[in-house]
Amino acid sequence: MAKALLGHVGGPDPRIVSEMRRLQRRVHDLEAELARLHEEKDVLAAEASRELLVASREREPALT
């Protein structure tokens, strides 16, 4: 109990602070990667839509 109190009164454990900072950096990096992937997905979706539109215009008319 004395160690717990001493740790509490003595301030935060440097290992915990270091781990918290590392995790915050990791979350930030993952959020940035997620944003980049969303942008890339949007660009690819727009290109695919454009290609489908062009392909549908180039089709020959069906025989009636």
Side-chain angles (χ1 to χ4, degrees):
M1 175 103 177
K3 286 184 180 182
L5 288 174
L6 181 61
H8 179 70
V9 173
D13 185 353
R15 293 172 294 179
I16 293 174
V17 172
S18 173
E19 180 69 7
M20 181 67 77
R21 286 186 183 139
R22 186 188 70 79
L23 291 172
Q24 287 172 337
R25 279 193 307 268
R26 181 70 174 138
V27 167
H28 176 72
D29 292 346
L30 290 172
E31 287 172 340
E33 183 177 357
L34 183 62
R36 183 188 60 79
L37 290 172
H38 277 294
E39 290 174 10
E40 185 178 330
K41 177 191 70 82
D42 291 343
V43 168
L44 291 173
E47 288 176 4
S49 294
R50 231 176 288 122
E51 287 177 12
L52 287 174
L53 184 61
V54 168
S56 68
R57 289 181 182 165
E58 293 176 351
R59 290 187 191 150
E60 296 181 19
L63 296 175
T64 55

